[in-house]
Amino acid sequence: TTLRSYKTGFQEVKAPPEFQAPPTVIMFPRQQEISSKGLRRQKRDWVIPPVNVPENSRGPFPQMLVSIRSDQDRNISIRYSITGVGADQPPNEVFSIDPVAGKMFVTKPLDRERRSSYHLRAHAVNMNGERVESPIDLYIYVIDMNDNRPEFKNQVYNGSVDEGSKPGTFVMHLAAFDHDDNTTANGMVRYRILSQTPHSPIPNMFTINSETGDIVTVAAGLDREKVSQYSIIVQATDMEGNLNFGLSNTATAIISVTDINDNPPELTSRTFSGEVPENRINVAVANLTVIDRDQPRSPNWNAVYRIISGDPIGHFTIITDPHTNDGMVTVVKPVDFEQNRAFMLTVVVNNQAPLASGIQSSLQSTSGVTISVVDINEPPFFPTNPKSIRFEEGVPAGTSLTTFSASDPDRFMQQSIRYSKLADPAEWLSINTTNGQIVTTATLDRESIFVKNNIYEATFLAVDNGSPMASGTGTLQIYLIDVNDNAPSLLPRESQICERINRNAGINITAADSDTDPNVGPFVFELPTFPASIRRNWTVSRLNGDYARLSLRIQYLKPGVYEVPVIVSDSGNPPLSNRSIIKVKVCPCDENGDCTLVGAVAAAGLGTGAIIAILICIIILLSMVLVFVVWMKRREKERQTKQLLIDPEDDVRDNILKYDEEGGGEEDQDYDLSQLQQPDSLEHIISKPLGVRRVDERPIIPESQYPIRPAIPHPGDIGDFINEGLRAADNDPTAPPYDSLLVFDYEGSGSTAGSVSSLNSSSTGDQDYDYLNDWGPRFKKLADMYGGGEDD
């Protein structure tokens, strides 16, 4: 590349020194001139050509590019400078200029891929910094060099194509990018396939468009079952694919051959067989195996089985195993050996996806399946279950009701059936063990609690003698027809009425009957003729078929309780009657017609004196309760105000109680009270040798100082005294544990009395203790033990 010289209005522009040509000189445009006629004229300016700089120059640097001059430098001193990106703007100091000579330099190698051009402005000022020329624009273009290889975005590309595709079928697209100038050969990339693996069926199954990078099939014969994947090495080269001057790069294209349903499923056998027990469902009876060379576990491989003949009712279905693709013949409706001993099925298998165009079904897609039915012992069954019959209630014991027999479905087995009773809540029935005849053992009663909605149910069991034995159950429903066997009873049993006749006063009565229509109402209510006082004092009037009103016939009836007999008859054929008693309380009433309290009591049979006595008793009882409450409150108050210390008169600790005078003279009055006092000196205890000491002695180690109780404690100080004593006892190391013998007071170091162990009773010799009976009742028990007197 050479830079031509431009003849401008300024000066000739020459090539840079590295091209063996003098440097280009760029002159500032001349200013306006004044003609001889006084007119200003602008000289025509020439376009300043751009400066082209090749990238990746090896230097040496700084390298001179152009020389900038002003025609005024002959008269004055000029200073030159440049501004713009690459000069005083980032990236800084890429270009520099000699301020005196005006020579502009490039200071480092340029990279077109980072920046392809620069726009600078050249300035000329005098020594005072005043502008003497207008700035001129300088354009510097970086000339591209082939310094970048084509680059693929990915090293591995994945594509796919259906097996059996025709030549020219698009497969995938690859693209490489070159950072060099794509308007020149440096950035023009071309593609080609270097290799194909495997080479089956031919080495060149694919081709690539050298300019677009599209890969297409070039030959037929793609078969996934033979080759499922191809690996292709693609090369991208710049310089328009010139292998001598261009730079290259490679990538791998993985082409997967996708499956189409070009292989029909084929059964491995022409016939299959299996067996099934009768009356069984949801069991697999035969297993069908199939071969399909398409991609496993895909719609082109998944098998779908159909039964096209041999099972018109639909006893069987075929379920596909998703892992093995086998077909499992399964029973969905129970089969009966007595009806079909074997089934001959015709089965066809297909795929979930239809076969590809031009592919025919295989003859091996159809097969026969033989299913044998195994006979098993079936339980007997009752043809009519439940069986319903109708009888009137009251049928006596021993009546034959019906024959409830069962049938054995095993016609080819000679078996007998025996019957037994399974459930008979009222124990009314029995069944013949051989023929199933039902006979009553008690009277049938429709009103029994075991009869629901007039129906009595019993369950019977039929068992055959097969191996193993089988049994079936049947239910017999007996509809009991009602007969008039229950007389009605009067309701209510008790009521009350005013002592004086009132037009609206009366007692509404009705009847209850355990029977049903037509053996119940309408009821007939009437009063008996005997005794005569009933019809003289009372009357019954009919309200409707089920109700009547009992009222007074006379104007006044003495208060009291009256038992009024009423005869009630139902509408049965023949009708049944019942004489019922209703207790009626006749009492005085208020203005509203309600019995008063006094009247109700009087009607109960109590006189005025009895009522007054009851009231007096109630008052006395309430008074006793009040006195008891007052006494309890007073006692509680005394307990709260009583001092915590015991009254000295009640303190028995320092007193001698006289139980009885037994004699003894003055010697009994000689007491040594010193033994009951605490000694002032502990020397006789401290001087004792070590060993076991008495638990009633004061401990030798120093004791804690307990608070001194005042002689007459104030009731308010008792709590403080107890708390201080408790706190001192808790901190006392000499205090005995809770489960040991506690010393409450010191009673002396010894006793002057002799040991009572010397007193013993001897069983030798006879001694008379009868005199104990003369000592009074206190010695009676002792006299009984030793005397053996008259009381023995």
Side-chain angles (χ1 to χ4, degrees), residues 33-47:
E33 296 180 356
I34 300 177
S35 63
S36 59
K37 297 181 179 181
L39 298 177
R40 293 183 177 274
R41 180 175 60 86
Q42 176 72 41
K43 282 196 71 175
R44 184 168 56 93
D45 294 338
W46 292 79
V47 177

Side-chain angles (χ1 to χ4, degrees), residues 136-173:
I136 60 174
D137 294 323
L138 301 177
Y139 292 94
I140 302 174
Y141 293 104
V142 182
I143 301 174
D144 182 46
M145 306 293 288
N146 190 18
D147 57 345
N148 290 280
R149 294 178 180 274
E151 294 181 1
F152 289 95
K153 183 178 180 181
N154 301 313
Q155 281 299 110
V156 178
Y157 290 83
N158 293 292
S160 62
V161 61
D162 289 341
E163 62 175 332
S165 296
K166 298 179 180 180
T169 302
F170 174 80
V171 179
M172 60 188 301
H173 172 77

Side-chain angles (χ1 to χ4, degrees), residues 557-569:
L557 185 62
K558 182 181 178 181
V561 178
Y562 296 85
E563 293 185 352
V564 181
V566 179
I567 299 174
V568 186
S569 302

Side-chain angles (χ1 to χ4, degrees), residues 672-680 698 745-749:
D672 184 11
L673 299 180
S674 63
Q675 299 297 329
L676 302 178
Q677 299 176 358
Q678 178 174 316
D680 296 331
R698 183 183 297 272
D745 204 351
Y746 180 75
E747 297 184 356
S749 59

